[in-house]
Amino acid sequence: MKARELMEELFARADEPVRDTVDTCKAGDPERALRRVATCFIATPEVIRAAGDWGADLLITHEPTYYEHRDHLGAIPDDPVMQAKKRLLEGTGMTVYRLHDHMHASTPDGIIEGELHALPWDCAHDGHFAVTLREPRTARQVAADLEKHWGLRRVRMVGALDEPMTGVYLMIGAYGEENHLKALRKPECQILVVGETSEWRIAEYVRDAVQLGLSKAMLVCGHVGSEREGMRFLAQSIAKAHPDLETRYFECGEVYTDLG
């Protein structure tokens, strides 16, 4: 199997063809024959080195490699960090593809499916954002679940933290402030789980809601922490579909550190 063929197979998991997609080959040869396939959330230099040392033929990343949604369409700017990363990547000889739009265009959403797979919840899922817990949990308990099972160092919490609720919205990654507001306006969205958001706008909205007598909470997990389990799950699904391929997920770690 070639890199392009595997990626076309993964693209076909989307509900319908995705137009004007960022899911393209970012480095290397699309026709490269595959023995070892690596997945990651972000292709950091440490991930690139580790996957290259392992002998990966293909590295599948969810987010951009060069700090811009379209990776500058391959025309990497004359920037010291970008050019050093480009040289490092080229030196491994790996083929790199991005898998973003198609994962979010499937039902269930491919990233959220992986995130839920990592959690021990007894719940119903609408295939997109809405999760209904069969046993009510407080936002504080949900945050503890996320820290334990998503491997998060810390979840930031705001709102009604100790009231048992059943309605969780997983708007992981960075879905944008307007989408966060739309979700919070829904009565079934009681606990909003996000990757990153606007503190001055959305966090204050949730804080005000509670002070005005409304039961809302928001848990902020960080962009990496809220989505990476989807790429770990992807490696498992590729291994199941293609037992002849060696597959491995490479962890990039969370971007921020704290005092611990």
Side-chain angles (χ1 to χ4, degrees):
M1 171 172 274
K2 298 177 180 178
R4 172 186 53 78
E5 293 172 332
L6 176 60
M7 295 310 301
E8 289 174 352
E9 180 181 300
L10 297 177
F11 295 161
R13 295 182 180 181
D15 295 346
E16 57 186 38
V18 179
R19 308 298 181 189
D20 190 28
T21 181
V22 298
D23 295 347
T24 58
C25 183
K26 307 301 181 183
D29 182 7
E31 301 301 315
R32 179 168 181 155
L34 299 181
R35 296 173 301 107
R36 291 183 169 180
V37 176
T39 71
C40 68
F41 183 69
I42 292 180
T44 64
E46 289 182 353
V47 165
I48 292 169
R49 293 188 188 102
D53 289 345
W54 178 60
D57 301 299
L58 172 65
L59 176 62
I60 305 173
T61 181
H62 185 64
E63 296 293 9
T65 301
Y66 295 103
Y67 329 110
E68 193 267 340
H69 188 51
R70 296 183 180 276
D71 283 310
H72 306 279
L73 298 177
I76 309 306
D78 186 15
D79 172 277
V81 174
M82 295 186 194
Q83 288 298 322
K85 193 171 188 180
K86 183 173 182 286
R87 289 191 297 271
L88 172 65
L89 189 51
E90 290 173 345
T92 68
M94 288 186 298
T95 298
V96 177
Y97 264 89
R98 188 172 175 197
L99 183 59
H100 178 273
D101 298 345
H102 291 81
M103 287 198 81
H104 289 306
S106 65
T107 304
D109 179 297
I111 292 291
I112 294 179
E113 181 182 20
E115 297 299 321
L116 282 174
H117 180 77
L119 293 168
W121 293 346
D122 181 13
C123 62
H125 178 217
D126 72 349
H128 299 286
F129 304 117
V131 175
T132 303
L133 303 176
R134 293 192 171 90
E135 293 292 332
R137 297 183 70 74
T138 68
R140 202 181 299 274
Q141 289 173 320
V142 169
D145 289 341
L146 302 183
E147 286 187 354
K148 178 178 180 180
H149 297 283
W150 288 359
L152 306 176
R153 284 194 301 273
R154 183 168 299 171
V155 173
R156 287 184 162 186
M157 304 180 289
V158 61
L161 303 182
D162 297 304
E163 180 178 339
M165 304 180 187
T166 58
V168 180
Y169 256 54
L170 297 181
M171 300 199 81
I172 52 179
Y175 268 94
E177 300 169 33
E178 293 302 325
N179 289 322
H180 292 165
L181 279 176
K182 289 178 183 177
L184 286 164
R185 289 171 181 142
K186 297 175 183 290
E188 64 270 25
C189 177
Q190 298 172 304
I191 303 173
L192 177 63
V193 179
V194 303
E196 51 183 301
T197 191
S198 169
E199 181 177 322
W200 72 267
R201 188 180 185 197
I202 310 304
E204 294 294 354
Y205 177 95
V206 174
R207 180 158 67 167
D208 283 1
V210 173
Q211 292 181 17
L212 293 167
L214 302 173
S215 299
K216 297 288 181 181
M218 182 170 69
L219 307 179
V220 183
C221 304
H223 200 129
V224 174
S226 72
E227 289 197 289
R228 62 182 166 198
E229 289 300 324
M231 295 306 285
R232 191 192 308 273
F233 188 68
L234 174 67
Q236 297 169 5
S237 71
I238 293 173
K240 184 176 181 180
H242 297 282
D244 55 314
L245 296 176
E246 291 186 64
T247 62
R248 182 180 294 185
Y249 165 77
F250 285 83
E251 174 60 47
C252 66
E254 295 181 54
V255 66
Y256 295 114
T257 58
D258 54 46
L259 294 176

